[in-house]
Amino acid sequence: MPIRTRTRTRTHTLALAAATATALAATGLTAASATAASATAADAQPPTPRTDFNHDGYADLAVGMPNASVSGVAKAGYVNIVWGGKNGLGASGSTRVSQATAGVPGTPESGDRFGASVTTADVDGDGRTDLVVGAPGEAIGSKAKAGTVAVIHGTATGFGAGTTVADGPAASAAYGKSLVAADFTGDGAQDIVIGATDKVLLHTGTTTTVFMGDHMGGRAPVLAAGDFNHDGIADVAVTYYTQNQPYTQSQIRLAAWNKDEKSFLVYWNNSNGTASALAAGDFDGDGFTDLAMGNCRENADENIDDPCGPEKYTKGGGIHIQYGDATGTFWDRQQTLNQDTPDVPGTAETGDLFGGALTVADIDGDGYDDLIVGAPGEGIGSKAKAGAITALRGGKDGIVNAEGKAVGIGVQQDTPGVPGAAEAGDLFGAALTADDYDGDGLPDVAVGSPGENGSLGAVWQLRGAEDAPVTAFSPRTLRLPSSVNPPQYGSVFPTAE
């Protein structure tokens, strides 16, 4: 199957490629194509749905729409829940959750941007996934853009009552710019880490505390969760940068809960480096959690050598991976790659934003996690910023093998079997997530393209089964109401552990 990029074409020989196969199955990277290539594959277990709001056995997808209108109120925002089912996403309809929904705290107001961040967790422990939503533009009393974070509980019929977990204490605090949830304290309950203006906070139980405060350039700190120090409890990964506000700096940090101090403590810091996306997985199959940093780069010039690996790999966006080990120190082993790495589709070019989005799934069923990489700035032929994704295969050496190669396959809207056509500004691959949306025991990949059709936006589902078609849906096909501003559907997916 040819993979078209801006400057060159590569053709891969695929073990089980067929004209009717899906874009991922045709790559030879899906579970259906994995056969019994290794003993590890026989031990791999089918995924269970990570996000299942109504507990019907099918994963559901939450799409944040902070630019959308609610009852004519511009940028009030809502979250569109696309229900999973045997035919995948989009076939079973969708539900809108906003501050106009019964039981959800607040009232839709212009600029609230409800849905600017989304994560999921079983906060109340009832076995159903709950929706956690940030609205960083929410006014709290007279405090404009203080921001708020709410949990809306999943039920058998959809959603029940919602509760506010954190309100910003001051104007422009912008609580809810970013979110991630996991059991960070080791007490068995799900906690929420909240990104805000110049702060990162932990909400656990009924308490919200600041554990990181620094100049973050007014942007949302990027968050991820994983057990990086191998102590059995989830840690939080944070990255941010600022330039001349009032000083230039960039950081990638890991923090773990300290039971004695009863607070997060930073135990790993990549000073002078930053990333556009973070993702946790076990890419070398050794049982320890690794951290992938997408579009990793040096933002400040402090004469610190290569905070994201060799500088030559930063062109067009580099992927830097720190590998976990039994010591829990997280320092020793690392790999870096970009689109100039052998057997990675495409060519590294400025503005590709390779690694602008990341997700992790064992799409070939061999027991090694694979890394799916979005490059929303990728040009397809003469179509600038049409966007593409790349699936990079994990193995015993990690994402990069002993020969210095990375087994990868590219997918974009001009790939045979993928609906639509690559067009300038589509930003295909701007957001990524993976789950089992059709209940067949194989992971599927959801791809956001917020620039599609004049920033109406759309989402593609690349299903894991070899004979399942790639499908797409948009506000138009889901019959969502019109919006004053372009909704950019597919720009916000959940951040997950």
Side-chain angles (χ1 to χ4, degrees):
M1 178 176 67
I3 303 299
R4 289 184 283 276
T5 65
R6 190 180 310 171
T7 58
R8 71 175 181 235
T9 298
R10 289 179 176 174
T11 301
H12 294 256
T13 301
L14 308 170
L16 295 178
T20 59
T22 68
L24 281 184
T27 69
L29 292 179
T30 65
S33 302
T35 63
S38 70
T40 308
D43 298 329
Q45 297 297 315
T48 56
R50 186 171 58 199
T51 297
D52 185 1
F53 297 112
N54 57 3
H55 202 50
D56 65 352
Y58 297 101
D60 311 308
L61 177 65
V63 183
M65 300 182 65
N67 283 345
S69 303
V70 177
S71 301
V73 179
K75 294 187 178 181
Y78 63 87
V79 180
N80 182 225
I81 307 299
V82 186
W83 300 108
K86 65 178 181 178
N87 294 316
L89 293 169
S92 298
S94 70
T95 296
R96 300 190 305 277
V97 177
S98 75
Q99 290 179 305
T101 302
V104 176
T107 302
E109 297 168 310
S110 179
D112 281 351
R113 292 181 55 78
F114 184 88
S117 62
V118 177
T119 194
T120 60
D122 183 8
V123 176
D124 55 8
D126 66 352
R128 295 185 179 90
T129 307
D130 305 315
L131 177 67
V132 188
V133 185
E138 176 82 9
I140 306 300
S142 62
K143 296 169 287 192
K145 298 181 181 179
T148 188
V149 176
V151 173
I152 300 96
H153 297 284
T155 72
T157 57
F159 292 93
T163 56
T164 298
V165 297
D167 283 335
S172 300
Y175 276 28
K177 281 188 170 182
S178 54
L179 297 167
V180 69
D183 178 11
F184 295 110
T185 63
D187 63 357
Q190 295 288 295
D191 311 303
I192 303 167
V193 170
I194 301 168
T197 298
D198 296 339
K199 291 181 178 64
V200 184
L201 309 97
L202 172 67
H203 176 84
T204 179
T206 59
T207 304
T208 302
T209 55
V210 176
F211 75 86
M212 191 179 297
D214 207 337
H215 293 278
M216 298 181 180
R219 306 171 190 85
V222 177
L223 305 172
D227 181 13
F228 303 111
N229 63 359
H230 195 55
D231 66 353
I233 302 172
D235 312 319
V236 63
V238 181
T239 183
Y240 61 89
Y241 73 94
T242 180
Q243 293 177 310
N244 303 317
Q245 297 179 18
Y247 45 78
T248 297
Q249 66 163 345
S250 49
Q251 304 285 342
I252 304 173
R253 292 175 172 174
L254 299 180
W257 182 254
N258 184 289
K259 292 182 179 180
D260 295 330
E261 298 289 337
K262 295 184 178 180
S263 64
F264 269 127
L265 296 180
V266 174
Y267 68 88
W268 186 87
N269 189 68
N270 183 344
S271 180
N272 209 36
T274 190
S276 298
L278 302 171
D282 183 6
F283 305 115
D284 56 3
D286 64 357
F288 304 112
T289 304
D290 314 315
L291 178 65
M293 311 168 198
N295 191 25
C296 196
R297 60 201 182 277
E298 180 179 1
N299 265 66
D301 184 10
E302 299 173 4
N303 298 315
I304 299 174
D305 293 334
D306 304 329
C308 292
E311 187 174 353
K312 66 179 181 178
Y313 290 116
T314 63
K315 184 177 182 181
I319 307 296
H320 186 66
I321 303 171
Q322 291 284 155
Y323 286 87
D325 59 29
T327 68
T329 57
F330 211 71
W331 284 105
D332 294 335
R333 184 167 173 252
Q334 54 190 272
Q335 293 180 339
T336 310
L337 69 149
N338 70 353
Q339 287 183 290
D340 283 343
T341 298
D343 288 350
V344 175
T347 301
E349 297 170 301
T350 301
D352 285 347
L353 297 179
F354 185 71
L358 299 173
T359 195
V360 174
D362 182 7
I363 57 177
D364 57 2
D366 65 353
Y368 300 101
D369 278 337
D370 307 307
L371 182 65
I372 301 93
V373 180
E378 178 80 15
I380 307 300
S382 62
K383 303 156 191 171
K385 298 182 180 180
I389 70 167
T390 301
L392 297 171
R393 188 171 184 169
K396 65 181 179 64
D397 298 315
I399 296 297
V400 180
N401 64 24
E403 298 176 347
K405 300 177 180 180
V407 179
I409 195 77
V411 177
Q412 30 95 350
Q413 286 190 70
D414 281 349
T415 299
V418 177
E423 299 170 305
D426 280 349
L427 303 177
F428 184 82
L432 295 168
T433 191
D435 216 328
D436 183 9
Y437 302 110
D438 54 12
D440 63 358
L442 306 174
D444 312 311
V445 177
V447 183
S449 180
E452 178 78 9
N453 291 333
S455 294
L456 175 70
V459 172
W460 277 251
Q461 181 187 353
L462 281 62
R463 296 169 66 179
E466 185 175 358
D467 58 351
V470 179
T471 56
F473 52 92
S474 72
R476 189 171 295 148
T477 61
L478 295 173
R479 298 184 179 180
L480 301 181
S482 60
S483 176
V484 174
N485 300 99
Q488 296 180 319
Y489 192 83
S491 60
V492 180
F493 286 165
T495 304
E497 182 182 4

